[in-house]
């Protein structure tokens, strides 16, 4: 039966192959494709984002990606220049006082439909942001403005907000309390303007798509295919359009996969690529030279000091402090250059009076060593009257790096102190939920600065701060926070922060680990990229594509 | 038309229950022997069976044969290929002042001359390694007149051009013409480059130095891993050597032994891969047999419910159930995964078994047994089960690879077993990130998954052929 | 026939209701709070947020609202993208997954026909051995390993060619589609190839082939119209399950090749605990599969005279 099968197969086979061959010839020429990371002629670059912007409504958004996009399509009263200093945005000039501030708006600032940006647009946006009906999670960014907090709690009408338009081009702001860092806040997205008529015309769909948003920044969002593609084009109505280098920022790839991102960079498809420990090795091997950037965020272990928790014992915390060397964590476990081991909750990027805060007030270094750690543990055991320390629950995130670090801590504490650490690995929301409910002994967490002042880190451990997830309560610490908040004297304020730094080292409610750094690749023809801690990162406002041989 | 012979009605009455007479109805006793013989003659079945047996043996005895602790981290040996046992130099680490470098008393260098722009800066002279081991490489150089800071780079091969200096390690102030590199060092050759900078741009001239660190182990780590007694005096021990264990397959990103993790991972993956199918096939069998045996309305309702469960998008629902159960602190996540798998996967075997039972009910020998007075229990155990068993066995053999895949997939999207419990899936997920620089971290667990899946698939095929008596030649 | 259709439709609706209910209650058993955020918010804001998503109602009321909305095809507002409706999200992302799935299925089917036929014709010779070995490889390597290897393959190809032959990742043209679709379809292709092979071998013994040959028909004609066509039937019957496998199996491929499909969106939503998106997507996929199965059933009834649907 099968023997004769071969006879009739001989023919169709060759036909089939020939057909396939012809088909492949048809397809091949189409496959040639110019897929450029940069284009000098058109001043276009291609990028990747780790996710699409979850929300481009500036009053309610909270995340980094939205902040990056918004900072390019919108502009606040002030903005950042090429050296990361505050510079005029919609406001031409301003005056900052103890009790408030006045902003004079430039007359040539335009929305992307050509109408002028006025002081009313700021009043409307700020009122919307603090309105409890908006339910903005970042409303607290506006709390320095008079009555903002009480309006946000539903105790006052939004019209009571301390901001007022004097004509179209002058904005008067009254403060709740002296806020020396207020100018920096006006560059923050919650402070961006929104035009009332447009906002109301879009209703629930405001900012849901490219044409559901009105732009006043250097770029406009020209195309937005959800989850797939964003394209930013130079804004023809922007007042400083002649000084915007790039014509187009094309973002045709959205992925979190660091290997895929590196592959895209290698393939010449994108101009910027963040690296992780793993892709970094390949990048260096292939002859790329990565760049470093400190993000200004700090990672730490926070102890739960709520009543009944074993971690309320100071000697137990001291024992952990004495055995955990941030330098080993950063160099051996994280393995990414650019991350700085830290003994302080204040990153080195925080400003002091003249120099960086950490240069003016170096962080005290805790004593460390296995013997010392075991000594503290023994003390803890005696104080607690326990034969063995019960298992500790460590709440951690579920990313690859969080895993790696958690596995390291677990082994370190087990081998060094005989502690049984139970890892509680949760996705973002569940982790946050457990953090606010206090359902942990130790939590691995991080904090990024909201504004350019040490206070953004300092008041994190004030007893009244809801973000003080470990419920550290120390009247002395609170007093220093109070002084730093109210004192007009910069010297005195910095001394107060130095005292906080010391107290945190001695009391160990928190164990600083490292300042986070970014390692990334940048296309050699892409110039003028500003890496920024505040106001959207990376800042491409001043970027341009150089010619191939420049 | 022919008239039928008349039969006395009494003869048509079923025999009294329990009064039964052995009716030869179930497959001949030699059925399983035949199956066994056919399997033994099938080369693929023998090989696949041998692989499965080996896997099971390795899983059960592996941790004794290769007693290395899968959780033990030797950070100084992270992500290496196969390693023989070797000695390591004991060195001080930064935990004590003695290990701090440069000592706190070190004088800051004075920066000579006016600050210069990058173009005017020369390359540092006298770049040398004060010491080089895998715990730290310490570099010093002569201050460059007019520099504001120095940028330090490290490469794994000789730089090919000015723009190919490798990994940027960091930036140091001009007053500190020294640098200590502790970043994931191994015993390979490194090329360190130091460039002066004016604070913004780098000078054109570079000083480069070749360094080859020796294997070392830090004081704290040596103490933690019991290479030295906890109360030992560093002064007496430093600069001695200790023996590091061999790693036949290399190590992972935390310096843990890959072989040992594979063996322990096998326990997780095979446990899930065998337990879950065992449970859901059993559950499905009972469910299907009950429905089929009772029949009628109950059968309708029971099968309707099974259809509902089949209609649930299973992968999405496994994920949903997995987060629904939650995973408490210190739990491995194995149990929720098994439960989720069981809850969603039983209907397939239930349908299969029900079909078989319905078919068997109509078989003449079952009717004969019933007529001969056999009870339900007898019919189920003597007729139904042996016949159904064959189908169930095949279904289970095929369910194992699919469950192993599901485990791997869930671990890949971070919904699988939680670290530090090793599983092949989570190991592959870790390995996929270092595919190009350390392919072995993906290759081994992926190969284990593939071989296991393959073995069970082939075994299933062979088993099906062997059990399929119709196809006898 | 109408009676059958009605009954089939009704049972599909009940099934969808069951899926929705199961999804709702599993979702509400999930520990954690979808409204928690990096920044703590004051109680007033929380109250407004809860009201927006109806979380302030008792669970049964929520269930009622959920069912009512579901009946009108409204899945609510996303938690993470507060200005987007889940309907919009599904409408935008599902076509991507569907296109990927359809192309994968087509590739799988065509590949299976070709390789299955080849394998059967060259039974036990090297083409058969090679194909069967590849099949074994394809079904025993996890899909994410395959996807990663494929991506690495594209990269090497581009490097060797000196230009971008195929993009490494992304979405937008058929060139983005081709490799992910092959990776996605590979498992199904392998499975169907085996089926096709055994089916071909079985049909090869059939009398009508001998008859056709005796009638003096051309060998190509016999091969295509008699042999392959008849061997196809069992392969067609697995299309139903294959659709399910491919539509939900796209997760990994979508993640690795950064394709904006619904599968990738679902995985993200799970990590963000985006209640409405998770429920919406699950119910949608469930309903989609139920309808596909129904459609396939009806089609069989129409195509295969041996199955009568009027019964």
């Amino acid at each position: 039966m099968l023997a004769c099968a071969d006879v009739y197969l001989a023919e169709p086979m060759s036909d089939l192959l020939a057909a396939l061959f012809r088909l492949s010839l048809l397809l091949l020429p189409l496959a040639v494709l110019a897929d450029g990371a940069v284009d000098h002629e058109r001043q276009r670059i291609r990028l990747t984002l780790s996710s699409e912007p979850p929300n481009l409504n500036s009053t309610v958004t909270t995340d980094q990606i939205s902040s990056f996009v918004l900072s390019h399509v919108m502009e606040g009263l002030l903005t950042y220049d090429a050296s990361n200093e505050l510079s005029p945005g919609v406001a031409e000039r301003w005056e900052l006082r103890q009790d408030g501030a006045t902003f004079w708006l430039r007359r040539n600032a335009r929305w992307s439909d050509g109408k002028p940006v006025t002081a009313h647009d700021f009043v409307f946006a700020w009122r919307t942001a603090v309105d409890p009906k908006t339910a903005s999670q970042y409303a607290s960014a506006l709390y320095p403005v008079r009555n903002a907090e009480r309006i946000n709690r539903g105790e006052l009408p939004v019209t009571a907000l301390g901001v007022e338009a004097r004509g179209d081009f002058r904005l008067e702001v009254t403060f709740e309390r002296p806020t020396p860092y207020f100018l920096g806040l006006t560059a923050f997205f919650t402070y961006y303007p929104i035009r009332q008529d447009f906002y109301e015309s879009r209703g629930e769909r405001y900012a849901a798509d490219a044409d559901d948003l009105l732009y006043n920044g250097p770029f406009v969002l020209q195309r937005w295919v959800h989850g797939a593609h964003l394209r930013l084009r130079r804004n023809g109505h922007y007042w400083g359009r002649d000084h915007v280098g790039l014509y187009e920022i094309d973002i045709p790839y959205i992925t979190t996969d660091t290997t895929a991102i590196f592959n895209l960079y290698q393939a010449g498809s994108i101009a910027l690529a963040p690296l992780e420990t793993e892709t970094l090795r390949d990048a260096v091997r292939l002859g790329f030279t990565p760049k470093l950037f400190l993000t200004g965020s700090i990672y730490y272990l926070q102890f739960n000091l709520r009543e009944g928790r074993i971690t309320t014992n100071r000697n137990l915390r001291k024992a952990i402090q004495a055995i955990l060397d941030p330098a080993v964590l950063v160099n051996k476990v994280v393995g990414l250059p650019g991350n700085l081991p830290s003994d302080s909750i204040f990153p080195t990027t925080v400003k002091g009076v003249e120099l960086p805060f950490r240069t003016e007030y170096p962080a005290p270094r805790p004593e460390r060593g296995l013997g010392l750690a075991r000594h503290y543990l023994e003390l803890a055991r005696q104080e607690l009257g326990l034969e063995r320390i019960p298992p500790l629950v460590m709440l951690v995130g579920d990313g690859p790096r969080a895993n790696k670090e958690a596995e390291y801590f677990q082994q370190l504490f087990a081998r060094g102190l005989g502690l049984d650490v139970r890892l509680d690995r949760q996705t973002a929301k569940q982790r946050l939920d457990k953090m606010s409910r206090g359902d942990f002994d130790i939590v691995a967490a991080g904090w990024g600065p909201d504004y350019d002042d040490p206070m953004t880190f300092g008041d994190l451990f004030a007893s009244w701060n809801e973000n003080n997830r470990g419920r550290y309560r120390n009247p002395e610490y609170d007093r220093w926070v109070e002084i730093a908040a109210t004192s007009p004297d910069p010297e005195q304020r910095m001394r107060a922060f130095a005292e906080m730094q010391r107290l945190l080292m001695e009391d160990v409610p928190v164990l600083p680990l490292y300042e986070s750094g970014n390692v990334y690749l940048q296309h050699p023809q892409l110039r003028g990229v500003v890496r920024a801690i505040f106001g959207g990162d990376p800042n491409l406002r001043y970027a341009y594509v150089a010619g191939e041989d420049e | 038309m022919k008239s039928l012979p008349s039969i006395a009605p009494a003869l048509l009455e079923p025999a009294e229950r329990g009064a039964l007479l052995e009716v030869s109805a179930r497959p001949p006793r030699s059925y399983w022997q035949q199956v066994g013989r056919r399997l033994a003659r099938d080369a693929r079945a023998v090989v696949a069976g041998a692989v499965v047996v080996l896997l099971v043996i390795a899983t059960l005895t592996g941790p004794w044969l290769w007693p290395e602790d899968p959780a033990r981290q030797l950070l100084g040996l992270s992500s290496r290929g196969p390693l023989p046992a070797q000695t390591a130099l004991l060195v001080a680490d930064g935990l004590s002042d003695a290990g701090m470098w440069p000592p706190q008393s070190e004088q800051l260098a004075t920066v000579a001359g006016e600050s210069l722009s990058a173009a005017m800066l020369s390359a540092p002279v006298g770049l040398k390694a004060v010491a080089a081991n895998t715990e730290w490489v310490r570099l010093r150089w002569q201050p460059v007149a007019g520099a504001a800071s120095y940028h330090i780079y490290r490469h794994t091969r000789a730089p090919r051009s000015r723009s190919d200096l490798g990994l940027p390690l960091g930036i140091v102030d001009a007053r500190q013409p020294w640098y200590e590199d502790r970043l994931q060092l191994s015993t390979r050759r490194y090329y360190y480059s130091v460039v002066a900078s004016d604070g913004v741009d780098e000078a054109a001239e570079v000083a480069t130095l070749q360094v080859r660190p020796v294997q070392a182990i830090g004081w704290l780590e040596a103490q933690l891993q019991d290479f030295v007694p906890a109360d030992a005096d560093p002064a007496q021990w430093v600069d001695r050597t200790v023996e590091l264990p061999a790693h036949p397959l290399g190590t992972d990103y935390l310096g843990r032994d890959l072989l040992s993790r594979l063996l322990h991972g096998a326990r997780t993956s095979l446990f899930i891969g065998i337990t879950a199918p065992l449970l859901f096939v059993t559950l499905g069998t009972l469910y299907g047999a009950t429905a089929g045996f009772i029949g009628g309305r109950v059968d309708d309702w029971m099968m309707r419910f099974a259809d509902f469960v089949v209609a649930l998008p299973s992968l999405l629902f496994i994920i949903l159930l997995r987060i629904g159960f939650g995973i408490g602190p210190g739990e491995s996540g194995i149990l929720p995964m098994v439960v989720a798998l069981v809850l969603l996967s039983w209907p397939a075997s239930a349908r299969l078994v029900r079909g078989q039972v319905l078919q068997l009910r109509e078989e003449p020998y079952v009717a004969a047994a019933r007529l001969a007075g056999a009870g339900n229990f007898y019919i189920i155990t003597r007729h139904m089960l042996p016949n159904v068993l064959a189908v169930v066995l095949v279904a289970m053999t095929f369910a194992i690879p699919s469950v192993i895949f599901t485990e791997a997939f869930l671990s890949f999207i971070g919904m699988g077993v939680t670290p530090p419990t090793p599983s092949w899936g989570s190991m592959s997920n870790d390995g996929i990130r270092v595919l190009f620089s350390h392919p072995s971290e993906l290759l081994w667990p992926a190969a284990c998954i593939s071989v296991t899946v393959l073995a069970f698939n082939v075994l299933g095929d062979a088993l099906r052929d062997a059990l399929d008596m119709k196809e006898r030649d | 026939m109408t009676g059958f259709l009605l009954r089939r439709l009704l049972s599909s609706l009940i099934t969808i209701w069951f899926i929705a209910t199961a999804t709702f209650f599993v979702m509400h058993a999930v520990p954690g709070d979808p409204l928690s955020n990096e920044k703590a918010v004051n109680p007033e804001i929380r109250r407004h947020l809860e009201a927006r998503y109806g979380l302030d109602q008792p669970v049964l009321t929520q269930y009622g609202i959920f069912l009512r909305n579901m009946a009108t095809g409204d899945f609510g507002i996303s938690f993470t993208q507060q200005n987007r409706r889940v309907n919009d999200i599904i409408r935008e992302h599902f076509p991507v997954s569907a296109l990927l799935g359809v192309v994968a299925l087509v590739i799988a089917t065509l590949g299976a026909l070709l390789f299955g036929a080849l394998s059967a014709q060259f039974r036990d010779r090297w083409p058969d051995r090679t194909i069967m070995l590849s099949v074994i490889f394809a079904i025993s390597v996890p899909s994410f390993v395959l996807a990663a290897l494929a991506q690495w393959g594209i990269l090497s190809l581009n490097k060797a060619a000196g230009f971008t032959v195929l993009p490494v990742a992304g979405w937008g043209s058929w060139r983005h589609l081709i490799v992910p679709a092959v990776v996605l379809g590979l498992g199904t292709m392998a499975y169907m190839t085996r089926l096709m092979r055994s089916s071909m071998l079985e049909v090869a013994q059939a009398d009508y082939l001998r008859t056709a040959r005796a009638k003096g028909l051309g060998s190509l004609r016999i091969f295509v119209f008699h042999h392959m066509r008849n061997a196809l039937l069992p392969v067609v019957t697995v299309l139903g399950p294959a659709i399910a496998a491919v539509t939900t199996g796209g997760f990994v491929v979508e993640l690795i090749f950064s394709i904006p499909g619904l599968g990738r969106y679902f995985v993200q939503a799970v990590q963000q605990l985006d209640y409405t998106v998770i429920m919406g997507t699950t119910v949608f996929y469930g309903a989609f599969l139920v309808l596909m199965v129904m459609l396939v059933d009806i089609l069989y009834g129409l195509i295969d005279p041996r199955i009568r649907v009027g019964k």
Side-chain angles (χ1 to χ4, degrees), chain A residues 152-455:
Chain A
N152 198 224
R153 287 181 186 282
E155 294 161 14
L156 285 174
V158 288
T159 45
L161 188 68
V163 59
E164 198 186 334
R166 297 266 166 82
D168 279 354
F169 298 105
R170 189 169 149 205
L171 193 73
E172 286 292 344
V173 184
T174 339
F175 292 160
E176 186 76 35
R177 53 160 68 188
T179 313
Y181 50 87
F182 186 77
L183 291 179
L185 287 180
T186 63
F188 192 63
F189 52 74
T190 319
Y191 283 75
Y192 288 161
I194 292 177
R195 210 172 72 205
Q196 188 168 4
D197 61 331
F198 186 84
Y199 184 84
E200 281 164 1
S201 74
R202 288 304 188 272
E204 192 188 58
R205 285 195 51 80
Y206 175 74
D209 270 307
D211 48 5
D212 290 323
L213 194 55
L214 207 52
Y215 311 92
N216 78 324
F219 297 90
V220 296
L221 193 54
Q222 185 242 348
R223 186 178 147 89
W224 184 4
V225 182
H226 286 285
H229 195 169
L230 284 97
R231 187 183 290 144
L232 277 63
R233 283 266 172 86
R234 193 185 292 161
N235 182 355
H237 289 284
Y238 179 60
W239 59 268
R241 57 191 170 272
D242 297 339
H243 304 288
V244 178
L246 293 175
Y247 173 70
E248 183 178 301
I249 303 169
D250 196 24
I251 308 170
Y253 311 100
I254 293 180
T255 179
T256 45
D257 184 343
T258 48
T259 317
I261 293 172
F262 177 58
N263 287 348
L264 281 168
Y265 185 86
Q266 269 196 78
S269 307
I270 52 172
L272 282 172
L275 297 174
E276 262 299 330
T277 317
E278 295 80 14
T279 41
L280 177 66
R281 279 179 233 172
D282 298 329
V284 171
R285 192 168 46 83
L286 292 167
F288 296 109
T289 304
K291 290 169 176 280
L292 301 179
F293 159 64
L294 278 175
T295 64
S297 304
I298 186 103
Y299 289 104
Y300 47 82
L301 290 181
Q302 192 162 9
F303 295 99
N304 194 346
L305 302 182
R306 287 170 178 80
E307 215 169 305
R309 291 281 169 178
I310 195 97
T311 34
T312 48
N313 185 288
R314 181 169 166 278
N315 280 320
L316 177 63
R317 304 198 302 267
K318 279 284 202 192
I320 293 176
Q321 182 184 44
I323 202 176
L324 181 54
D325 183 0
V328 172
L329 177 73
V330 168
N331 283 305
K332 298 267 180 77
V333 180
V334 178
L336 262 186
N339 292 291
L340 288 185
S342 181
D343 282 324
S344 168
I345 200 72
F346 299 98
T348 53
T349 48
V350 166
K351 281 184 194 147
V353 182
E354 296 283 329
L355 296 168
F357 171 75
R358 288 275 295 278
T359 312
E360 290 175 356
Y361 297 95
R365 206 176 114 88
E367 251 189 276
R368 294 195 176 95
L370 188 62
L372 186 67
R374 288 183 174 163
H375 167 70
Y376 279 126
L377 189 76
E378 191 47 45
L379 289 179
R381 238 189 324 245
Q382 281 166 14
E383 281 170 11
L384 294 163
L386 292 169
E387 192 63 26
R388 245 185 92 78
I389 304 284
L392 293 173
V393 174
M394 185 188 276
L395 182 60
V396 297
D398 66 343
R401 198 199 277 190
N403 270 339
K404 224 177 357 179
E405 291 174 15
E407 288 177 80
Y408 168 67
F409 294 139
Q410 191 183 36
Q411 272 299 298
L412 178 69
F413 300 168
R415 288 250 173 195
L417 300 171
L419 292 175
D420 179 10
V421 175
R422 307 236 162 120
L423 297 182
D424 189 3
R425 185 168 160 271
Q426 300 291 347
T427 58
K429 291 281 170 179
Q430 282 159 320
R431 185 173 136 268
L432 285 167
D433 182 45
K434 287 194 152 189
M435 272 171 81
S436 31
R437 283 192 286 113
D439 190 2
F440 63 90
D441 291 313
I442 307 174
V443 61
W447 191 256
D450 289 327
Y451 47 87
D452 196 3
D453 190 90
M455 188 57 103

Side-chain angles (χ1 to χ4, degrees), chain C residues 159-183:
Chain C
K159 262 193 205 145
F163 62 90
T164 311
V165 183
L166 287 171
V168 174
W171 188 246
S173 73
W174 64 268
R175 269 177 283 104
H176 292 99
L177 183 65
I178 198 89
V179 176
V182 170
V183 171

Side-chain angles (χ1 to χ4, degrees), chain B residues 331-420:
Chain B
E331 286 170 13
S332 62
I334 295 176
L335 193 66
M337 197 190 285
V338 170
V339 175
L341 282 165
V342 170
L343 282 180
L344 287 161
S345 314
W346 59 266
S349 36
R351 279 175 162 183
L352 200 69
V353 169
R354 171 183 169 267
Q356 282 279 312
V357 169
L358 282 182
Q359 201 186 325
L360 286 173
R361 265 187 4 165
E362 309 301 321
E363 291 288 336
Y365 56 80
V366 175
R370 214 179 271 287
L371 274 175
N376 280 347
F377 182 76
Y378 179 86
I379 291 177
I380 290 177
T381 51
R382 298 302 287 269
H383 297 300
M384 302 287 192
L385 269 184
N387 280 297
V388 168
L389 206 60
V391 186
V392 168
L393 210 60
V394 173
M396 207 176 112
T397 317
F398 282 118
I400 291 171
S402 95
V403 167
I404 288 178
F405 265 176
T406 309
E407 186 273 323
F409 165 75
L410 289 176
S411 297
F412 175 73
I413 61 167
M415 289 281 140
V417 295
T418 57

Side-chain angles (χ1 to χ4, degrees), chain B residues 139-398:
Chain B
L139 304 172
R140 277 181 180 279
W141 57 90
Q142 301 292 323
V144 174
S149 58
Y150 302 101
H151 295 193
I152 294 96
Y153 294 86
R154 183 179 89 190
H155 214 321
T156 47
R157 54 172 161 74
R160 291 186 186 134
S161 69
R162 172 63 184 77
S163 60
D164 179 35
L165 298 181
L167 195 64
L169 290 175
I171 298 172
V172 293
D173 192 272
R175 291 170 303 166
Q176 300 170 17
W178 57 74
Y179 188 80
E180 182 185 48
D181 175 26
R182 296 175 66 182
L183 186 76
Q184 290 188 332
L185 288 155
S186 76
T187 51
R188 61 183 307 155
R189 196 181 301 279
Y190 290 107
Y191 297 81
Y192 285 92
S193 300
V194 178
V195 201
S197 156
D198 61 5
V200 182
D201 293 315
E202 290 183 357
E205 304 287 317
V206 184
T208 301
L209 176 73
Q210 256 188 64
V211 175
R212 181 153 202 164
V214 296
Q215 185 65 50
I217 184 166
W219 179 248
L220 177 68
E221 200 176 351
Q223 279 182 309
L224 288 176
Q225 307 297 344
D226 299 326
F227 290 119
V228 294
D231 52 358
D233 175 16
Q236 297 205 337
W237 282 77
V238 160
D239 293 341
R240 289 205 211 169
T241 55
V242 296
E243 276 295 316
L244 299 183
H247 299 287
L249 298 183
T251 57
D252 75 351
Y253 55 92
L254 280 173
R256 293 175 294 198
D257 184 60
L258 264 187
L259 176 59
S260 166
R261 282 179 65 73
L262 274 182
L263 289 170
H264 281 82
R267 295 188 145 191
T268 316
S269 295
L270 287 182
F271 177 79
I272 296 175
I274 292 175
T275 315
L278 203 65
L279 287 174
F280 68 66
V281 170
T282 310
L283 183 68
T285 306
L286 292 177
Y287 191 94
T290 314
F293 198 77
I294 298 176
R297 185 154 294 237
V298 178
D299 176 40
D300 271 359
W301 284 110
M302 283 179 82
M303 281 344 259
R304 173 62 53 84
F305 182 69
D307 285 347
F308 282 160
V309 179
V310 170
L312 294 174
S314 56
L315 205 52
L316 279 77
F317 241 81
I318 289 176
I319 297 174
L320 267 193
L321 284 174
R322 166 68 171 58
I323 53 172
F325 294 136
I327 288 189
E331 286 170 13
S332 62
I334 295 176
L335 193 66
M337 197 190 285
V338 170
V339 175
L341 282 165
V342 170
L343 282 180
L344 287 161
S345 314
W346 59 266
S349 36
R351 279 175 162 183
L352 200 69
V353 169
R354 171 183 169 267
Q356 282 279 312
V357 169
L358 282 182
Q359 201 186 325
L360 286 173
R361 265 187 4 165
E362 309 301 321
E363 291 288 336
Y365 56 80
V366 175
R370 214 179 271 287
L371 274 175
N376 280 347
F377 182 76
Y378 179 86
I379 291 177
I380 290 177
T381 51
R382 298 302 287 269
H383 297 300
M384 302 287 192
L385 269 184
N387 280 297
V388 168
L389 206 60
V391 186
V392 168
L393 210 60
V394 173
M396 207 176 112
T397 317
F398 282 118

Side-chain angles (χ1 to χ4, degrees), chain A residues 1 8-9 16 33 52 134 137 152 204 206 226-228 254-255 266 429-430 433 450 466-467 469, chain C residues 31 36-40 42 45 52 81 83-85 92 114 121 159 175 204 219 227 260 264 272:
Chain A
M1 208 45 235
Y8 70 75
L9 235 186
L16 210 63
L33 156 89
E52 80 157 347
T134 310
Q137 321 213 22
N152 198 224
E204 192 188 58
Y206 175 74
H226 286 285
I254 293 180
T255 179
Q266 269 196 78
K429 291 281 170 179
Q430 282 159 320
D433 182 45
D450 289 327
E466 279 293 313
N467 292 313
R469 314 277 191 181
Chain C
S36 53
N37 204 282
E38 291 289 347
K39 295 262 184 294
N42 72 48
I45 292 188
R52 183 181 295 170
Q81 300 197 291
N83 45 20
R84 288 182 78 197
R85 305 201 72 84
E92 278 162 32
L114 177 68
Q121 288 311 322
K159 262 193 205 145
R175 269 177 283 104
S219 54
H227 197 163
R264 190 176 69 145
Q272 302 279 340

